[in-house]
Amino acid sequence: MAKIETLNTTNMESAPSKAGKLNRGLRSRHITMIAIGGAIGTGLFVASGATVSQAGPGGALAAYIAIGCMVYFLMTSLGEMATFLPVSGSFETYGTRFVDPAFGFTLGWNYWLSWSTTIPAELAAGALVMKYWLPGSSDILWGILFLAIIFLLNVLSVKNFGEAEFWFAGIKVVTIIVFLVIGILMILGIFFSPASGIHNFTAGEAPFKGGFLAIIGIFMIAGFSFQGTEMVGIAAGESEDPERNVPRAIRSVFWRVLIFYVLAIAVIGMIIPYTDPSLLKSDVDNISVSPFTLVFQKAGLAFAASLMNAVILTSVLSACNSATYASTRMLWSMAEQGKAPKIFRKINSKGIPSIALYANIIFGLLVFLSSFVGGGVVYIWLLNMTGLTGFLTWVGIAICHYRFRKAYIAQGRDLNQLKYKAKWYPFGPIITLVLCIIVIIGQGSQAISGGTINWYGMLVSYISLPVFIILWLGYKFIKKTKVVPLEECDFSQEHLS
């Protein structure tokens, strides 16, 4: 890897990429919106209804607040490492330097698999969304069209990716603000009569339906909703000024996202009874019963379903755009580290890892097309493999940060010299690790019903775990790697990309 250059942020926008280097063209607003966009999507617009139905409005709030706090600790852990070592390989590099090269190898491929299979999943979701307006249209044609758009956004420059994410996320943020304003006015009876009040929040078994176990069950849905926030670590490698932009993004994103989720779920719980059967039916192909759509309809907005369908489409395209970016950078980084074929190291004159991008686009297209062949068996299993990959990544980040700080101190370094210092260490990474493990263990709970275990469902739920372990132990056995002693962890910065 080439040595890191001194950054001139005033001229960065127009600065061409130097040979073999990524272009640090992401500004502070890009980094912030990438994190917000990663945390706000169909998990809030669609799945939030199911959480209120399953655990009651109070239970859903408790679950999202708990997972939101965990994500904050996760983000501060990642922020401490990303400001010190702003590389696009992020946790793959941190795993290699501070834990074990085999651990870094596994984190890298695990993260690549997570996002590379998200590309075809979002293409399929986008095609379903379009059927709201054009029910007889071709899924394949829509998928190819959306993939072409995503390819253009990623191949031209990293700034194009950042700008696209900024506006995609902006649309979602504006939608939530409008939703909250209308919802609060409905609750108070201002402009809308009669007032909704708060009686739905405590009706029946509410606010806590099903007790503590129901809240634990919602942890998984809440966790999936927040996945993508860790992309700040990947984007740090192409940030203009990571020492300033990454901490700023982390501080602002946590409060914005948590407040958005908490207020949105509170509004849903007060306006829509948790017993409303529509809350369990909401999906990207049934947007007419999205909790957001239901609230807008109660407010008298006749075009609510079309509005939310358009917002969901931007969420899908945003997720696909982010997935393409993240999987491309991780594949490039692993090639730089010798953990993927060298051909993926190629960077074009615009600072884009072009071969890695082409590979991810082709892979995404092939997996998407496989959903139409042979009952989509290959497609379904690939998606099932990614069920836990996000949580495994979070476990990896927590472990990396715990060892990063321990090694930093063991080598006699001054903590005050860190540009960004994670608060509540070591509580932060420990609570992240514990909650992620709880979620991972609970992943298979749906395969157990009435004391009977659905072994196929269990296998589907946990298939990514053996894949993770096989990658880890396989690389460890072949390369004969060992856990890096704290005194030997590599903190050098002269080989940053």
Side-chain angles (χ1 to χ4, degrees):
M1 289 185 174
K3 291 183 179 180
I4 190 169
E5 298 289 326
T6 302
L7 301 177
N8 184 342
T9 57
T10 58
N11 297 322
M12 185 59 63
E13 180 178 349
S14 59
S17 173
K18 296 186 178 180
K21 292 180 180 291
L22 297 177
N23 189 353
R24 293 186 179 270
L26 294 178
R27 295 181 170 182
S28 176
R29 63 187 178 89
H30 296 147
I31 299 291
T32 299
M33 282 304 200
I34 286 170
I36 290 177
I40 297 176
T42 54
L44 177 59
F45 296 128
V46 177
S48 57
T51 65
V52 172
S53 177
Q54 293 174 32
L61 280 176
Y64 276 95
I65 290 173
I67 294 297
C69 291
M70 182 203 75
V71 170
Y72 172 72
F73 291 132
L74 175 88
M75 293 286 284
T76 57
S77 290
L78 183 58
E80 182 171 297
M81 294 185 290
T83 51
F84 187 85
L85 295 171
V87 291
S88 283
S90 195
F91 8 97
E92 180 274 326
T93 301
Y94 307 148
T96 296
R97 289 194 181 199
F98 308 123
V99 184
D100 181 344
F103 190 67
F105 171 85
T106 308
L107 281 180
W109 281 109
N110 172 78
Y111 199 68
W112 174 83
L113 179 65
S114 175
W115 284 109
S116 63
T117 49
T118 296
I119 298 172
E122 298 301 338
L123 294 177
L128 286 175
V129 170
M130 291 305 300
K131 285 186 177 297
Y132 176 85
W133 293 300
L134 301 167
S137 57
S138 168
D139 290 359
I140 294 179
L141 289 179
W142 282 120
I144 292 175
L145 174 62
F146 290 147
L147 189 61
I149 294 172
I150 297 303
F151 172 72
L152 289 175
L153 290 175
N154 279 268
V155 76
L156 297 178
S157 72
V158 70
K159 185 185 174 186
N160 280 354
F161 160 77
E163 284 295 325
E165 278 305 290
F166 177 83
W167 290 107
F168 281 148
I171 291 171
K172 292 185 279 190
V173 169
V174 169
T175 301
I176 295 171
I177 292 174
V178 171
F179 171 82
L180 293 176
V181 171
I182 291 177
I184 292 171
L185 293 177
M186 290 174 67
I187 293 168
L188 298 176
I190 301 174
F191 304 127
F192 300 95
S193 182
S196 297
I198 62 172
H199 65 276
N200 284 329
F201 201 84
T202 56
E205 295 181 60
F208 298 101
K209 175 193 172 186
F212 180 72
L213 290 179
I215 295 175
I216 294 295
I218 300 303
F219 274 8
M220 286 180 284
I221 301 176
F224 281 120
S225 297
F226 281 106
Q227 284 185 10
T229 50
E230 78 288 333
M231 201 175 294
V232 169
I234 301 292
E238 292 175 272
S239 170
E240 283 183 346
D241 186 357
E243 291 184 355
R244 183 185 64 176
N245 292 344
V246 172
R248 179 184 296 174
I250 289 171
R251 284 190 293 268
S252 62
V253 164
F254 168 72
W255 291 111
R256 292 181 192 179
V257 169
L258 192 59
I259 289 173
F260 284 159
Y261 269 97
V262 169
L263 289 181
I265 291 174
V267 166
I268 292 169
M270 291 179 187
I271 295 178
I272 306 174
Y274 76 90
T275 53
D276 190 324
S278 296
L279 294 178
L280 283 174
K281 298 176 182 177
S282 183
D283 203 348
V284 291
D285 60 344
N286 196 12
I287 198 62
S288 61
V289 291
S290 157
F292 275 63
T293 305
L294 293 175
V295 170
F296 282 142
Q297 286 175 338
K298 285 179 179 290
L301 299 180
F303 57 90
S306 289
L307 169 66
M308 285 311 302
N309 205 59
V311 173
I312 293 297
L313 181 60
T314 63
S315 293
V316 166
L317 293 177
S318 172
C320 193
N321 192 38
S322 296
T324 303
Y325 173 83
S327 56
T328 296
R329 267 50 181 188
M330 186 56 75
L331 186 58
W332 169 82
S333 176
M334 289 190 296
E336 282 280 286
Q337 301 287 340
K339 296 172 182 174
K342 292 182 179 180
I343 189 173
F344 298 126
R345 297 172 57 186
K346 180 177 175 58
I347 293 180
N348 64 20
S349 59
K350 297 177 181 178
I352 304 297
S354 52
I355 303 300
L357 174 61
Y358 301 151
N360 280 305
I361 292 292
I362 293 171
F363 178 81
L365 179 61
L366 292 176
V367 174
F368 171 70
L369 294 177
S370 74
S371 66
F372 303 97
V373 180
V377 175
V378 174
Y379 176 77
I380 292 170
W381 273 95
L382 278 171
L383 292 187
N384 287 335
M385 285 176 63
T386 65
L388 289 178
T389 50
F391 294 105
L392 291 172
T393 295
W394 287 0
V395 166
I397 292 172
I399 293 173
C400 288
H401 180 234
Y402 183 82
R403 297 230 348 137
F404 170 90
R405 181 74 76 88
K406 295 276 284 187
Y408 197 89
I409 294 174
Q411 295 185 19
R413 295 173 176 268
D414 184 3
L415 289 176
N416 293 321
Q417 291 184 351
L418 290 172
K419 300 297 183 181
Y420 177 78
K421 203 160 39 170
K423 298 177 182 178
W424 293 50
Y425 179 91
F427 175 79
I430 290 175
I431 195 64
T432 299
L433 183 63
V434 170
L435 284 179
C436 281
I437 291 174
I438 290 174
V439 171
I440 291 172
I441 293 174
Q443 175 74 8
S445 60
Q446 294 180 343
I448 303 175
S449 178
T452 303
I453 300 177
N454 179 348
W455 290 107
Y456 177 79
M458 192 68 74
L459 178 62
V460 165
S461 298
Y462 290 110
I463 185 62
S464 53
L465 267 180
V467 171
F468 189 94
I469 294 171
I470 289 170
L471 286 172
W472 187 2
L473 297 181
Y475 190 88
K476 196 171 185 65
F477 176 78
I478 294 172
K479 298 293 186 178
K480 305 292 191 265
T481 66
K482 296 181 180 179
V483 174
V484 182
L486 295 177
E487 294 76 12
E488 297 177 16
C489 288
D490 183 8
F491 287 95
S492 62
Q493 296 178 301
E494 63 267 22
H495 294 293
L496 301 184
S497 57

